[in-house]
């Protein structure tokens, strides 16, 4: 079972924002990888290569955004398409707004494990009853997501998509990071409690070693998605 992470940044400044001493985009990628998500796709503008520099040594694939008129849902679909280009066996993707910098790796693992027992379902984490991010979307349901249209902002879009899904479930992850974004300082977050009970399903492979990788590690990535490379070559 392969579950990707699609991390979305509408602005380059958001990707590079400080998240407890690390760029927000780097912190999210490390949490996704340590939690077992693969491939990991970052959809972000990158004038000057600063986002790529922030991801040096990470396993992420950096992809150019879809045209702005495609709206937030277009960026989600673009990221999932790139994930499928990277790993054709990808079954689902964690849709992860870049502002959600405090999501814990254990939450990623919990959602992936839960999907193992609920294949084809849309899964959304909750914290103290409040729905949060990332939302696990099966790739087969991407057309239904895109059909909701480009005008909806991410929170409204996902609320409607989740409500209309034939099979969906909320998962209590005990993680304040699923509802508190980077506007809340890390030291001000409620304590992480973890899920109140185990979820069923086989545990994913862990990428914890990548989370410990120093910023100056040898270049392994980020890779450019194929369409981004083609765009660069055509400039």
């Amino acid at each position: 079972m392969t579950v990707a992470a699609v991390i979305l940044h509408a602005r380059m400044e958001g990707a590079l924002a400080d998240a407890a001493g690390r760029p927000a985009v780097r912190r999210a990628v490390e949490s996704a990888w340590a939690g077992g998500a693969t491939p990991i796709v970052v959809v972000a503008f990158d004038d000057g290569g600063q986002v790529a520099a922030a991801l040096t040594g990470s396993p992420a694939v950096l992809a150019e955004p879809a045209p702005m008129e495609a709206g937030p849902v277009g960026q989600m679909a673009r990221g999932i398409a790139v994930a499928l280009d990277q790993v054709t066996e990808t079954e689902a993707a964690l849709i992860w707004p870049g502002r959600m910098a405090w999501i814990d790796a254990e939450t990623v693992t919990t959602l992936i494990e839960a999907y193992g027992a609920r294949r084809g379902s849309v899964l959304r984490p909750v914290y103290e009853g409040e729905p949060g991010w990332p939302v696990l979307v099966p790739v087969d349901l991407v057309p239904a997501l895109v059909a909701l249209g480009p005008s909806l902002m991410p929170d409204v879009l996902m609320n409607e998509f989740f409500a209309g899904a034939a099979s969906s479930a909320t998962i209590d992850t005990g993680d304040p990071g699923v509802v508190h974004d980077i506007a809340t300082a890390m030291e001000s977050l409620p304590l992480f409690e973890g899920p109140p009970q185990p979820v069923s399903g086989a545990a994913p492979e862990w990428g914890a070693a990548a989370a410990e990788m120093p910023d100056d590690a040898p270049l392994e990535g980020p890779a450019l998605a194929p369409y981004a490379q083609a765009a660069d070559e055509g400039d």
Side-chain angles (χ1 to χ4, degrees), residues 184-211:
T184 300
M186 190 177 188
E187 58 269 21
S188 300
L189 291 172
L191 290 176
F192 176 87
E193 299 174 356
Q197 58 187 15
V199 297
S200 57
E205 295 182 4
W206 286 79

Side-chain angles (χ1 to χ4, degrees), residues 137-232:
V137 175
V139 296
D140 289 346
L141 299 184
V142 172
L145 179 64
V146 173
L148 293 174
S151 63
L152 298 181
M153 292 296 101
D155 289 319
V156 175
L157 173 71
M158 204 52 70
N159 287 343
E160 291 198 11
F161 178 65
F162 186 83
S167 179
S168 61
T170 56
I171 308 294
D172 186 351
T173 62
D175 180 5
V178 306
V179 297
H180 292 280
D181 65 17
I182 198 171
T184 300
M186 190 177 188
E187 58 269 21
S188 300
L189 291 172
L191 290 176
F192 176 87
E193 299 174 356
Q197 58 187 15
V199 297
S200 57
E205 295 182 4
W206 286 79
E212 301 300 325
M213 190 179 296
D215 288 338
D216 58 355
L219 283 173
E220 296 178 1
L224 284 178
Y227 64 83
Q229 291 176 328
D232 289 343

Side-chain angles (χ1 to χ4, degrees), residues 1 3 92-95 107-126 131-138 141 158 161-162 165 167-173 199-200:
M1 180 180 67
V3 176
L94 294 162
I95 303 299
T107 291
V108 175
T109 302
T110 296
L111 290 169
I112 295 173
E113 289 183 357
Y115 187 68
R118 301 172 176 84
R119 301 290 255 278
S121 296
V122 180
L123 303 181
R124 189 165 199 182
V126 296
W133 299 91
V135 180
L136 191 150
V137 175
L141 299 184
M158 204 52 70
F161 178 65
F162 186 83
S167 179
S168 61
T170 56
I171 308 294
D172 186 351
T173 62
V199 297
S200 57

Side-chain angles (χ1 to χ4, degrees), residues 23-150:
V25 67
R26 179 71 179 235
R27 180 172 288 274
V29 165
E30 290 175 347
S31 290
W33 180 248
T38 186
I40 299 170
V41 178
V42 173
V43 180
F45 291 105
D46 191 24
D47 294 337
Q50 296 179 71
V51 177
L55 294 174
T56 295
S58 83
V61 172
L62 179 59
E64 292 181 348
M68 292 191 66
E69 56 268 25
V73 74
Q75 310 310 326
M76 297 175 188
R78 172 62 58 85
I80 293 173
V82 173
L84 286 167
D85 284 342
Q86 297 297 309
V87 181
T88 57
E89 296 82 6
T90 299
E91 292 187 32
L94 294 162
I95 303 299
W96 190 317
R99 72 179 190 277
M100 309 304 295
W102 310 130
I103 295 166
D104 194 272
E106 186 174 341
T107 291
V108 175
T109 302
T110 296
L111 290 169
I112 295 173
E113 289 183 357
Y115 187 68
R118 301 172 176 84
R119 301 290 255 278
S121 296
V122 180
L123 303 181
R124 189 165 199 182
V126 296
Y127 178 73
E128 295 187 344
E130 182 180 351
W133 299 91
V135 180
L136 191 150
V137 175
V139 296
D140 289 346
L141 299 184
V142 172
L145 179 64
V146 173
L148 293 174

